[in-house]
Amino acid sequence: MSEATSAVDEAIPEAPPEDTQLAFDVHAFPGGVRGALEAVLMVVDEPLSAVALASALEVPVPDVEAELAAMEEEYAAQFRGFSLRRVGDGWRYYSRADYAPVVERFLLDGQQARLTQAALETLAVIAYRQPVSRSRVSAVRGVNVDGVIRTLLSRGLIEEVGHDTESTAILYGTTSHFLERMGLSSLDELPALAPYLPDVDVLDEIVERGRS
């Protein structure tokens, strides 16, 4: 190879790998870290953790956590139509509960598929008695729930969580999507309605009577 060719090769920069991402300084954007957080959270369809957000923005996790907490407080103080809430380990925007009537009227055009009363009742039993079998849910409601269970499974609100050790029946429980839709961080935040449902022993007795 001649010296001239070698000099030309050195003058031409190597092409960056195809998976190389463009580097940026989030602080250089007009809205800084907050503006970047708002832009990302506006397009997500599930809660994002502070770690994931910090990685995307290339900002320290403590800085992101502090900014998210400040945003949550300021949105609440300003009575915005939306709120930033922490659900589980993630953060996401939600319509503020105060404006539920407005949102409900907007959705009354029939384009939003809603759960039936039967599905809501079945979901409530599963939420408060999980893990619970299909037969126990049927015993509480007094009707067959096979179709409703399929609907709740297809909506991602419940899932199979195991099998009963004695009957080998499939046990069901709620999903993280259920918590997200309810705006809860954990099942511990469910309203105290469980005392109004039959005890597990009573459910067993009802199921046994139904089999006899």
Side-chain angles (χ1 to χ4, degrees), residues 2-83:
S2 66
E3 294 183 359
T5 302
S6 177
V8 171
D9 291 341
E10 291 179 358
I12 300 176
E14 294 183 2
E18 292 183 359
D19 60 350
T20 299
Q21 296 183 356
L22 294 177
F24 60 82
D25 179 6
V26 71
H27 298 284
F29 290 99
V33 174
R34 173 168 297 196
L37 286 171
E38 290 176 336
V40 173
L41 289 170
M42 193 67 68
V43 299
V44 300
D45 55 6
E46 61 183 17
L48 287 182
S49 67
V51 174
L53 289 167
S55 176
L57 273 57
E58 300 180 0
V59 175
V61 174
D63 291 356
V64 170
E65 292 177 334
E67 193 64 52
L68 290 170
M71 291 162 63
E72 181 182 25
E73 292 182 4
E74 290 186 22
Y75 292 155
Q78 296 169 359
F79 298 101
R80 296 288 188 90
F82 60 89
S83 62

Side-chain angles (χ1 to χ4, degrees), residues 90-107:
W91 293 80
R92 185 183 177 187
Y93 283 123
Y94 293 88
S95 294
R96 186 171 296 282
D98 298 328
Y99 296 96
V102 178
V103 177
E104 183 178 5
R105 172 170 291 186
F106 174 75
L107 296 176

Side-chain angles (χ1 to χ4, degrees), residues 133-175:
S133 66
R134 190 177 313 213
S135 61
R136 287 189 172 179
V137 177
S138 295
V140 173
R141 296 206 54 240
V143 296
N144 184 289
V145 296
D146 290 356
V148 178
I149 290 290
R150 286 194 295 270
T151 296
L152 295 177
L153 285 170
S154 66
R155 296 286 188 89
L157 296 171
I158 65 172
E159 62 184 349
E160 298 180 6
V161 295
H163 291 80
D164 186 88
T165 55
E166 296 182 0
S167 65
T168 69
I170 297 175
L171 299 177
Y172 297 95
T174 53
T175 63

